[in-house]
Coordinates of all heavy atoms in Angstrom, one line a residue:
M1 N -14.3 -17.4 17.9 CA -14.1 -17.8 16.5 C -13.8 -16.6 15.6 O -14.4 -15.6 15.7 CB -15.3 -18.5 16.0 CG -15.0 -19.4 14.8 SD -16.5 -20.4 14.3 CE -17.2 -19.2 13.1
V2 N -12.7 -16.7 14.8 CA -12.3 -15.6 13.9 C -12.7 -16.0 12.5 O -12.3 -17.0 12.0 CB -10.8 -15.4 14.0 CG1 -10.4 -14.2 13.1 CG2 -10.4 -15.1 15.5
R3 N -13.4 -15.1 11.8 CA -13.7 -15.3 10.4 C -12.5 -15.0 9.6 O -11.7 -14.1 9.9 CB -14.9 -14.4 10.0 CG -16.2 -14.8 10.6 CD -17.3 -13.9 10.2 NE -17.1 -12.5 10.7 CZ -17.3 -11.4 10.1 NH1 -17.8 -11.4 8.9 NH2 -17.1 -10.2 10.7
P4 N -12.3 -15.7 8.5 CA -11.2 -15.5 7.6 C -11.0 -14.1 7.2 O -9.8 -13.6 7.1 CB -11.5 -16.4 6.4 CG -12.5 -17.4 6.9 CD -13.2 -16.7 8.0
V5 N -12.0 -13.4 6.9 CA -11.9 -12.0 6.4 C -11.3 -11.1 7.5 O -10.5 -10.2 7.2 CB -13.3 -11.4 6.0 CG1 -14.3 -11.4 7.1 CG2 -13.1 -10.1 5.3
D6 N -11.6 -11.4 8.8 CA -11.0 -10.6 9.9 C -9.5 -10.9 9.9 O -8.7 -9.9 10.1 CB -11.6 -11.0 11.2 CG -13.1 -10.5 11.3 OD1 -13.4 -9.6 10.5 OD2 -13.8 -11.1 12.1
T7 N -9.1 -12.1 9.8 CA -7.7 -12.5 9.8 C -6.9 -11.8 8.7 O -5.9 -11.3 8.9 CB -7.5 -14.0 9.7 OG1 -8.6 -14.6 10.3 CG2 -6.2 -14.5 10.3
E8 N -7.6 -11.8 7.6 CA -7.0 -11.2 6.4 C -6.7 -9.7 6.6 O -5.7 -9.2 6.3 CB -7.9 -11.4 5.2 CG -7.2 -11.3 3.8 CD -6.1 -12.4 3.7 OE1 -6.3 -13.5 4.1 OE2 -5.0 -12.0 3.3
A9 N -7.8 -9.0 7.1 CA -7.7 -7.6 7.4 C -6.6 -7.3 8.4 O -5.8 -6.3 8.3 CB -9.0 -7.1 7.8
K10 N -6.5 -8.1 9.4 CA -5.6 -7.9 10.5 C -4.2 -8.1 9.9 O -3.3 -7.3 10.3 CB -5.8 -8.9 11.6 CG -5.2 -8.5 12.9 CD -5.6 -9.4 14.1 CE -6.9 -8.9 14.7 NZ -7.4 -9.8 15.7
R11 N -4.0 -9.1 9.1 CA -2.7 -9.3 8.6 C -2.2 -8.1 7.7 O -1.1 -7.7 7.7 CB -2.7 -10.6 7.7 CG -1.3 -10.9 7.1 CD -1.4 -12.1 6.2 NE -2.0 -13.3 6.8 CZ -2.7 -14.2 6.1 NH1 -2.9 -14.1 4.8 NH2 -3.2 -15.2 6.7
Y12 N -3.2 -7.5 7.0 CA -2.9 -6.4 6.2 C -2.5 -5.2 7.0 O -1.6 -4.5 6.7 CB -4.1 -6.1 5.3 CG -3.9 -4.8 4.5 CD1 -2.9 -4.7 3.5 CD2 -4.6 -3.7 4.8 CE1 -2.6 -3.6 2.8 CE2 -4.4 -2.5 4.1 CZ -3.4 -2.5 3.1 OH -3.2 -1.3 2.4
I13 N -3.2 -5.0 8.1 CA -2.9 -3.8 9.0 C -1.5 -3.9 9.6 O -0.8 -3.0 9.7 CB -4.0 -3.7 10.1 CG1 -5.3 -3.2 9.4 CG2 -3.6 -2.8 11.2 CD1 -6.5 -3.3 10.4
R14 N -1.1 -5.2 9.9 CA 0.2 -5.4 10.5 C 1.3 -5.5 9.4 O 2.5 -5.6 9.8 CB 0.2 -6.7 11.3 CG -0.8 -6.6 12.4 CD -0.9 -8.0 13.1 NE 0.4 -8.4 13.7 CZ 0.7 -8.2 14.9 NH1 -0.2 -7.7 15.7 NH2 1.9 -8.6 15.4
M15 N 1.0 -5.5 8.2 CA 1.9 -5.7 7.1 C 2.9 -4.5 7.1 O 2.6 -3.4 7.1 CB 1.2 -5.8 5.8 CG 2.0 -6.4 4.7 SD 0.8 -6.7 3.3 CE 2.0 -6.9 2.0
T16 N 4.2 -4.9 6.9 CA 5.2 -3.9 6.8 C 5.7 -3.9 5.3 O 5.4 -4.8 4.5 CB 6.5 -4.2 7.7 OG1 7.1 -5.4 7.2 CG2 6.0 -4.4 9.1
L17 N 6.5 -2.8 5.0 CA 7.0 -2.7 3.6 C 7.9 -3.9 3.3 O 7.9 -4.4 2.2 CB 7.9 -1.4 3.6 CG 7.1 -0.1 3.6 CD1 8.0 1.1 3.8 CD2 6.2 0.1 2.4
G18 N 8.6 -4.4 4.3 CA 9.5 -5.6 4.0 C 8.7 -6.9 3.8 O 9.2 -7.8 3.3
D19 N 7.4 -6.9 4.3 CA 6.6 -8.1 4.1 C 6.1 -8.3 2.7 O 5.7 -9.4 2.3 CB 5.4 -8.1 5.0 CG 5.8 -8.3 6.5 OD1 6.8 -8.9 6.8 OD2 5.0 -7.8 7.4
L20 N 6.1 -7.3 2.0 CA 5.6 -7.3 0.6 C 6.5 -8.1 -0.3 O 7.7 -7.8 -0.4 CB 5.4 -5.9 0.1 CG 4.6 -5.7 -1.2 CD1 3.1 -6.0 -0.9 CD2 4.7 -4.2 -1.6
Q21 N 6.0 -9.2 -0.9 CA 6.8 -10.0 -1.7 C 7.4 -9.2 -2.9 O 6.8 -8.3 -3.4 CB 6.1 -11.2 -2.2 CG 5.8 -12.3 -1.2 CD 4.4 -12.1 -0.6 OE1 3.9 -11.1 -0.6 NE2 3.9 -13.2 0.0
E22 N 8.6 -9.7 -3.4 CA 9.3 -8.9 -4.4 C 8.6 -8.9 -5.7 O 8.8 -7.9 -6.5 CB 10.7 -9.5 -4.6 CG 11.7 -9.1 -3.6 CD 13.0 -9.7 -3.8 OE1 13.3 -10.1 -4.9 OE2 13.8 -9.9 -2.8
W23 N 7.7 -9.8 -6.0 CA 7.1 -9.9 -7.3 C 5.8 -9.0 -7.3 O 5.0 -9.1 -8.3 CB 6.8 -11.3 -7.8 CG 6.0 -12.1 -6.9 CD1 4.7 -12.2 -6.8 CD2 6.6 -13.0 -5.8 NE1 4.3 -13.1 -5.8 CE2 5.5 -13.6 -5.2 CE3 7.9 -13.3 -5.4 CZ2 5.6 -14.5 -4.1 CZ3 8.0 -14.2 -4.4 CH2 6.9 -14.8 -3.7
F24 N 5.5 -8.3 -6.2 CA 4.3 -7.5 -6.2 C 4.7 -6.0 -6.4 O 5.7 -5.5 -5.9 CB 3.6 -7.6 -4.9 CG 2.7 -8.8 -4.8 CD1 3.1 -9.9 -4.1 CD2 1.5 -8.8 -5.5 CE1 2.3 -11.1 -4.1 CE2 0.7 -9.9 -5.4 CZ 1.1 -11.0 -4.8
V25 N 3.9 -5.4 -7.2 CA 4.1 -3.9 -7.5 C 3.1 -3.2 -6.6 O 2.0 -3.6 -6.5 CB 3.9 -3.6 -9.0 CG1 4.2 -2.1 -9.2 CG2 4.8 -4.5 -9.8
L26 N 3.6 -2.1 -6.1 CA 2.7 -1.3 -5.2 C 2.1 -0.1 -5.9 O 2.8 0.6 -6.7 CB 3.6 -0.8 -4.0 CG 2.9 -0.1 -2.8 CD1 2.0 -1.1 -2.1 CD2 4.0 0.3 -1.8
Y27 N 0.8 0.1 -5.6 CA 0.1 1.2 -6.2 C -0.6 2.0 -5.2 O -0.9 1.4 -4.1 CB -0.9 0.7 -7.3 CG -0.3 0.0 -8.5 CD1 -0.2 -1.3 -8.5 CD2 0.1 0.8 -9.5 CE1 0.4 -2.0 -9.6 CE2 0.7 0.1 -10.7 CZ 0.8 -1.2 -10.7 OH 1.4 -1.9 -11.7
G28 N -0.9 3.2 -5.5 CA -1.8 4.0 -4.6 C -3.1 4.2 -5.3 O -3.1 4.5 -6.5
N29 N -4.2 4.0 -4.6 CA -5.5 4.2 -5.2 C -6.3 5.3 -4.6 O -6.5 5.4 -3.3 CB -6.3 2.8 -5.0 CG -7.7 2.9 -5.7 OD1 -8.6 2.3 -5.2 ND2 -7.8 3.5 -6.8
C30 N -6.7 6.3 -5.4 CA -7.4 7.5 -4.9 C -8.8 7.2 -4.6 O -9.5 6.6 -5.4 CB -7.2 8.6 -5.9 SG -8.1 10.1 -5.4
F31 N -9.2 7.6 -3.4 CA -10.6 7.4 -2.9 C -11.6 8.3 -3.7 O -12.7 7.9 -4.0 CB -10.7 7.7 -1.5 CG -12.1 7.7 -0.9 CD1 -12.7 6.5 -0.6 CD2 -12.7 8.9 -0.6 CE1 -14.0 6.5 -0.1 CE2 -14.0 8.9 -0.1 CZ -14.6 7.7 0.2
K32 N -11.1 9.4 -4.1 CA -12.0 10.4 -4.7 C -12.2 10.2 -6.2 O -13.3 10.1 -6.7 CB -11.4 11.8 -4.5 CG -12.4 12.9 -4.4 CD -11.7 14.1 -3.9 CE -12.6 15.4 -4.0 NZ -11.9 16.6 -3.5
C33 N -11.1 10.1 -7.0 CA -11.2 10.0 -8.5 C -10.9 8.6 -9.0 O -10.9 8.3 -10.2 CB -10.4 11.0 -9.1 SG -8.6 10.7 -9.1
D34 N -10.5 7.7 -8.1 CA -10.2 6.3 -8.4 C -8.9 6.2 -9.3 O -8.7 5.1 -9.9 CB -11.4 5.6 -9.2 CG -11.5 4.1 -8.7 OD1 -11.0 3.8 -7.6 OD2 -12.0 3.4 -9.5
H35 N -8.1 7.2 -9.3 CA -6.8 7.1 -10.0 C -5.9 6.1 -9.3 O -5.9 6.0 -8.1 CB -6.2 8.5 -10.0 CG -4.8 8.6 -10.6 ND1 -4.6 8.4 -11.9 CD2 -3.6 8.8 -10.0 CE1 -3.3 8.5 -12.2 NE2 -2.7 8.7 -11.0
V36 N -5.2 5.3 -10.1 CA -4.3 4.4 -9.6 C -2.9 4.8 -10.0 O -2.6 4.9 -11.2 CB -4.6 2.9 -10.1 CG1 -3.5 2.0 -9.6 CG2 -5.9 2.5 -9.6
G37 N -2.0 5.1 -9.1 CA -0.7 5.5 -9.4 C 0.4 4.6 -8.9 O 0.2 4.0 -7.8
Y38 N 1.4 4.4 -9.7 CA 2.5 3.5 -9.3 C 3.3 4.2 -8.2 O 3.5 5.4 -8.2 CB 3.4 3.3 -10.5 CG 4.7 2.6 -10.2 CD1 4.7 1.2 -9.9 CD2 5.9 3.3 -10.1 CE1 5.9 0.6 -9.6 CE2 7.1 2.7 -9.8 CZ 7.1 1.3 -9.5 OH 8.3 0.7 -9.2
I39 N 3.7 3.3 -7.2 CA 4.5 3.8 -6.1 C 5.8 3.0 -6.1 O 5.7 1.8 -6.1 CB 3.7 3.6 -4.7 CG1 2.5 4.5 -4.7 CG2 4.7 4.0 -3.6 CD1 1.6 4.3 -3.5
D40 N 6.9 3.7 -6.0 CA 8.2 3.0 -5.9 C 8.4 2.5 -4.5 O 8.7 3.3 -3.6 CB 9.3 4.0 -6.3 CG 10.6 3.2 -6.5 OD1 10.7 2.1 -5.9 OD2 11.5 3.8 -7.1
R41 N 8.1 1.2 -4.3 CA 8.2 0.6 -2.9 C 9.6 0.7 -2.4 O 9.8 0.8 -1.2 CB 7.8 -0.8 -3.0 CG 8.4 -1.6 -4.1 CD 7.9 -3.0 -4.1 NE 8.3 -3.7 -2.9 CZ 8.3 -5.1 -2.8 NH1 7.8 -5.8 -3.7 NH2 8.7 -5.6 -1.7
Y42 N 10.6 0.7 -3.2 CA 12.0 0.7 -2.7 C 12.4 2.1 -2.2 O 13.2 2.2 -1.3 CB 13.0 0.2 -3.8 CG 12.7 -1.2 -4.2 CD1 12.0 -1.5 -5.4 CD2 13.1 -2.2 -3.3 CE1 11.8 -2.9 -5.7 CE2 12.8 -3.5 -3.6 CZ 12.1 -3.9 -4.8 OH 11.8 -5.2 -5.0
R43 N 11.7 3.1 -2.8 CA 11.9 4.4 -2.2 C 11.3 4.6 -0.9 O 11.8 5.2 0.0 CB 11.2 5.5 -3.2 CG 12.3 6.3 -4.0 CD 11.6 7.2 -4.9 NE 11.2 8.4 -4.2 CZ 10.5 9.4 -4.8 NH1 10.2 9.3 -6.1 NH2 10.1 10.5 -4.2
L44 N 10.1 3.9 -0.7 CA 9.5 3.9 0.6 C 10.3 3.2 1.7 O 10.5 3.7 2.8 CB 8.1 3.2 0.5 CG 7.0 3.9 -0.2 CD1 5.7 3.2 -0.1 CD2 6.8 5.4 0.3
V45 N 10.9 2.1 1.3 CA 11.8 1.3 2.2 C 13.0 2.1 2.5 O 13.4 2.2 3.7 CB 12.2 0.0 1.6 CG1 13.3 -0.7 2.4 CG2 11.0 -1.0 1.4
H46 N 13.5 2.8 1.6 CA 14.7 3.6 1.8 C 14.4 4.8 2.8 O 15.2 5.1 3.6 CB 15.2 4.2 0.4 CG 16.4 5.0 0.5 ND1 17.6 4.4 0.7 CD2 16.6 6.3 0.5 CE1 18.6 5.4 0.8 NE2 18.0 6.6 0.7
R47 N 13.2 5.3 2.6 CA 12.8 6.5 3.4 C 12.3 6.1 4.8 O 12.6 6.7 5.8 CB 11.7 7.2 2.7 CG 11.3 8.5 3.3 CD 10.6 9.4 2.3 NE 9.9 10.5 3.0 CZ 8.9 11.2 2.5 NH1 8.5 11.0 1.2 NH2 8.3 12.2 3.1
F48 N 11.5 5.0 4.9 CA 10.8 4.7 6.2 C 11.4 3.4 6.8 O 11.1 3.1 8.0 CB 9.3 4.5 6.0 CG 8.6 5.8 5.5 CD1 8.3 5.9 4.1 CD2 8.4 6.8 6.3 CE1 7.6 7.0 3.7 CE2 7.8 8.0 5.9 CZ 7.4 8.1 4.5
G49 N 12.1 2.6 6.0 CA 12.6 1.4 6.6 C 11.7 0.2 6.3 O 10.5 0.4 6.2
A50 N 12.2 -1.0 6.2 CA 11.5 -2.2 5.9 C 10.5 -2.6 7.0 O 9.5 -3.3 6.8 CB 12.4 -3.4 5.6
K51 N 10.7 -2.1 8.2 CA 9.9 -2.4 9.4 C 8.6 -1.5 9.5 O 7.8 -1.7 10.4 CB 10.6 -2.4 10.7 CG 11.8 -3.3 10.7 CD 11.4 -4.7 11.3 CE 12.6 -5.6 11.5 NZ 12.2 -7.0 11.2
Q52 N 8.6 -0.5 8.6 CA 7.5 0.4 8.7 C 6.2 -0.3 8.2 O 6.2 -0.9 7.2 CB 7.8 1.6 7.7 CG 6.6 2.5 7.4 CD 6.1 3.3 8.6 OE1 6.9 3.9 9.3 NE2 4.8 3.2 8.9
R53 N 5.2 -0.2 9.0 CA 3.9 -0.7 8.6 C 3.3 0.1 7.5 O 3.4 1.3 7.5 CB 2.9 -0.8 9.8 CG 3.3 -1.9 10.8 CD 2.3 -2.0 11.9 NE 2.8 -3.0 12.8 CZ 2.1 -3.4 13.9 NH1 0.9 -2.9 14.1 NH2 2.6 -4.3 14.7
M54 N 2.6 -0.6 6.6 CA 2.0 0.1 5.5 C 0.8 0.9 5.8 O 0.5 1.9 5.2 CB 1.6 -1.0 4.4 CG 2.9 -1.6 3.8 SD 2.5 -2.9 2.6 CE 1.6 -1.9 1.4
K55 N 0.0 0.4 6.7 CA -1.3 1.1 7.0 C -1.1 2.6 7.4 O -1.8 3.4 6.8 CB -2.0 0.3 8.2 CG -3.5 0.6 8.3 CD -4.2 0.1 7.1 CE -5.7 0.6 7.2 NZ -6.4 0.4 5.9
P56 N -0.2 2.9 8.3 CA 0.0 4.4 8.6 C 0.4 5.2 7.4 O 0.2 6.4 7.4 CB 1.1 4.4 9.7 CG 1.1 3.0 10.2 CD 0.7 2.1 9.1
L57 N 1.1 4.6 6.4 CA 1.5 5.3 5.3 C 0.4 5.7 4.4 O 0.5 6.7 3.6 CB 2.5 4.5 4.5 CG 3.9 4.2 5.1 CD1 4.8 3.4 4.2 CD2 4.6 5.5 5.4
E58 N -0.7 5.0 4.5 CA -1.8 5.3 3.6 C -2.3 6.8 3.8 O -2.8 7.4 2.9 CB -3.0 4.4 3.8 CG -2.7 3.0 3.3 CD -4.0 2.1 3.4 OE1 -4.8 2.3 4.3 OE2 -4.1 1.3 2.5
A59 N -2.2 7.2 5.1 CA -2.6 8.5 5.4 C -1.7 9.6 4.7 O -2.1 10.7 4.6 CB -2.6 8.7 6.9
K60 N -0.5 9.2 4.3 CA 0.4 10.1 3.6 C 0.2 10.1 2.1 O 0.8 11.0 1.4 CB 1.8 9.7 3.9 CG 2.2 9.8 5.4 CD 3.7 9.4 5.6 CE 4.1 9.2 7.0 NZ 4.1 10.5 7.7
L61 N -0.6 9.2 1.6 CA -0.7 9.1 0.2 C -1.5 10.4 -0.4 O -2.4 10.9 0.3 CB -1.5 7.9 -0.2 CG -0.9 6.5 0.0 CD1 -1.8 5.4 -0.4 CD2 0.4 6.4 -0.8
F62 N -1.0 10.8 -1.5 CA -1.7 11.9 -2.1 C -1.8 11.7 -3.6 O -0.9 11.2 -4.2 CB -1.0 13.2 -1.6 CG -0.5 14.1 -2.7 CD1 -1.3 15.2 -3.1 CD2 0.7 13.9 -3.2 CE1 -0.8 16.1 -4.1 CE2 1.2 14.8 -4.2 CZ 0.5 15.9 -4.6
C63 N -3.0 12.0 -4.2 CA -3.3 11.7 -5.6 C -2.6 12.7 -6.5 O -2.8 13.9 -6.3 CB -4.8 11.7 -5.8 SG -5.2 11.4 -7.5
K64 N -1.9 12.2 -7.5 CA -1.2 13.1 -8.4 C -2.2 13.7 -9.4 O -1.9 14.6 -10.1 CB -0.1 12.3 -9.2 CG 1.1 12.1 -8.3 CD 2.1 11.3 -9.1 CE 3.3 11.0 -8.2 NZ 4.2 9.9 -8.8
R65 N -3.4 13.1 -9.6 CA -4.3 13.6 -10.5 C -5.2 14.7 -10.0 O -5.4 15.7 -10.5 CB -5.1 12.4 -11.1 CG -6.0 12.8 -12.3 CD -7.2 11.9 -12.3 NE -7.0 10.9 -13.3 CZ -7.9 9.8 -13.4 NH1 -8.9 9.7 -12.6 NH2 -7.7 8.9 -14.3
C66 N -5.8 14.4 -8.8 CA -6.8 15.4 -8.3 C -6.4 16.0 -7.0 O -7.0 16.9 -6.5 CB -8.2 14.7 -8.1 SG -8.3 13.6 -6.6
G67 N -5.2 15.5 -6.4 CA -4.7 16.2 -5.2 C -5.3 15.7 -3.9 O -5.0 16.2 -2.8
N68 N -6.3 14.8 -4.0 CA -6.9 14.3 -2.8 C -5.9 13.6 -1.8 O -5.1 12.8 -2.3 CB -8.0 13.3 -3.2 CG -8.6 12.6 -2.0 OD1 -9.0 13.2 -1.0 ND2 -8.7 11.3 -2.1
R69 N -6.1 13.8 -0.5 CA -5.2 13.2 0.4 C -5.9 12.4 1.4 O -5.4 11.9 2.4 CB -4.5 14.3 1.3 CG -3.5 15.1 0.5 CD -3.0 16.3 1.3 NE -2.0 17.1 0.5 CZ -0.7 16.8 0.5 NH1 -0.2 15.9 1.2 NH2 0.1 17.6 -0.2
H70 N -7.2 12.2 1.2 CA -8.0 11.5 2.2 C -8.5 10.1 1.8 O -9.0 10.0 0.6 CB -9.2 12.3 2.6 CG -8.8 13.7 3.2 ND1 -8.2 13.8 4.4 CD2 -8.8 14.9 2.6 CE1 -7.9 15.1 4.6 NE2 -8.3 15.8 3.5
F71 N -8.5 9.2 2.6 CA -9.0 7.8 2.4 C -8.4 7.1 1.3 O -9.0 6.1 0.8 CB -10.5 7.9 2.2 CG -11.3 8.6 3.3 CD1 -11.9 9.8 3.0 CD2 -11.3 8.1 4.6 CE1 -12.6 10.5 4.0 CE2 -12.0 8.8 5.6 CZ -12.6 10.0 5.3
N72 N -7.2 7.5 0.9 CA -6.5 6.8 -0.2 C -6.0 5.5 0.4 O -5.8 5.3 1.6 CB -5.4 7.6 -0.8 CG -5.9 8.9 -1.4 OD1 -7.0 8.9 -1.9 ND2 -5.1 9.9 -1.4
G73 N -5.8 4.5 -0.5 CA -5.3 3.2 0.0 C -4.2 2.6 -0.9 O -4.1 3.0 -2.1
F74 N -3.5 1.6 -0.4 CA -2.6 0.9 -1.2 C -3.3 -0.2 -2.0 O -4.3 -0.7 -1.5 CB -1.5 0.3 -0.4 CG -0.5 1.2 0.2 CD1 -0.3 1.4 1.5 CD2 0.4 1.9 -0.7 CE1 0.7 2.3 2.0 CE2 1.3 2.8 -0.3 CZ 1.5 3.0 1.1
A75 N -2.7 -0.5 -3.1 CA -3.2 -1.7 -3.9 C -1.9 -2.4 -4.3 O -0.9 -1.7 -4.7 CB -4.0 -1.3 -5.1
V76 N -1.9 -3.7 -4.4 CA -0.8 -4.5 -4.9 C -1.2 -5.3 -6.0 O -2.3 -5.8 -6.1 CB -0.1 -5.3 -3.8 CG1 0.6 -4.5 -2.7 CG2 -1.1 -6.3 -3.1
A77 N -0.3 -5.5 -7.0 CA -0.6 -6.4 -8.1 C 0.7 -7.1 -8.5 O 1.8 -6.6 -8.3 CB -1.0 -5.5 -9.3
P78 N 0.6 -8.4 -9.0 CA 1.8 -9.1 -9.4 C 2.5 -8.4 -10.6 O 1.8 -7.7 -11.4 CB 1.2 -10.4 -9.9 CG -0.2 -10.5 -9.3 CD -0.6 -9.1 -9.2
M79 N 3.8 -8.4 -10.6 CA 4.5 -7.7 -11.6 C 4.2 -8.2 -13.0 O 4.0 -9.4 -13.2 CB 6.0 -8.0 -11.3 CG 6.9 -6.9 -11.8 SD 8.6 -7.3 -11.3 CE 8.5 -6.8 -9.5
Q80 N 4.1 -7.3 -13.9 CA 3.8 -7.6 -15.3 C 5.1 -7.8 -16.1 O 6.0 -7.1 -15.9 CB 3.0 -6.5 -16.0 CG 1.8 -6.0 -15.2 CD 0.5 -6.6 -15.7 OE1 0.4 -6.9 -16.9 NE2 -0.5 -6.9 -14.8
R81 N 5.1 -8.8 -17.0 CA 6.3 -8.9 -17.8 C 6.0 -8.4 -19.2 O 5.0 -8.5 -19.7 CB 6.6 -10.4 -17.9 CG 7.3 -10.9 -16.6 CD 7.5 -12.4 -16.6 NE 8.0 -12.8 -15.3 CZ 9.3 -13.0 -15.1 NH1 10.2 -12.9 -16.1 NH2 9.7 -13.4 -13.9
Ligands
ZN1 ZN1 -7.6 11.5 -7.2

């Protein structure tokens, strides 16, 4: 039996840049100082391709405020009008 939370986590791990719906904006969240910075998803697609999984990219995130490169994560939010 699979608990819903496991399925959700697995889906996220397998998620690619191309899977992200167009009305979602991508952010990076700093583990250390909690800074949230906007990430241009189309630049990521251009650079890594739409088939690139998001999870491995988290390791490349780096905080513009404190310079932390560890344990950072992506966050998504619906586009604001
Ligand atoms: Zn930071």
Side-chain angles (χ1 to χ4, degrees):
M1 201 175 90
V2 180
R3 287 178 297 143
V5 63
D6 291 338
T7 324
E8 202 60 45
K10 198 172 277 179
R11 185 184 303 151
Y12 173 66
I13 286 168
R14 297 173 64 94
M15 196 169 163
T16 65
L17 291 170
D19 287 337
L20 194 65
Q21 287 96 335
E22 280 178 25
W23 55 88
F24 279 102
V25 181
L26 190 61
Y27 296 94
N29 182 215
C30 177
F31 174 78
K32 210 167 170 183
C33 74
D34 217 25
H35 176 68
V36 176
Y38 171 76
I39 296 174
D40 188 343
R41 50 182 294 195
Y42 296 104
R43 253 179 78 184
L44 290 184
V45 172
H46 184 73
R47 187 163 163 196
F48 299 103
K51 299 270 184 216
Q52 168 68 49
R53 286 188 184 183
M54 290 177 63
K55 198 68 186 165
L57 290 180
E58 288 188 326
K60 296 180 188 291
L61 293 177
F62 122 97
C63 179
K64 283 178 183 164
R65 188 205 262 168
C66 75
N68 172 49
R69 291 171 181 273
H70 303 289
F71 307 114
N72 296 331
F74 284 119
V76 292
M79 205 174 284
Q80 309 263 328
R81 284 175 184 261

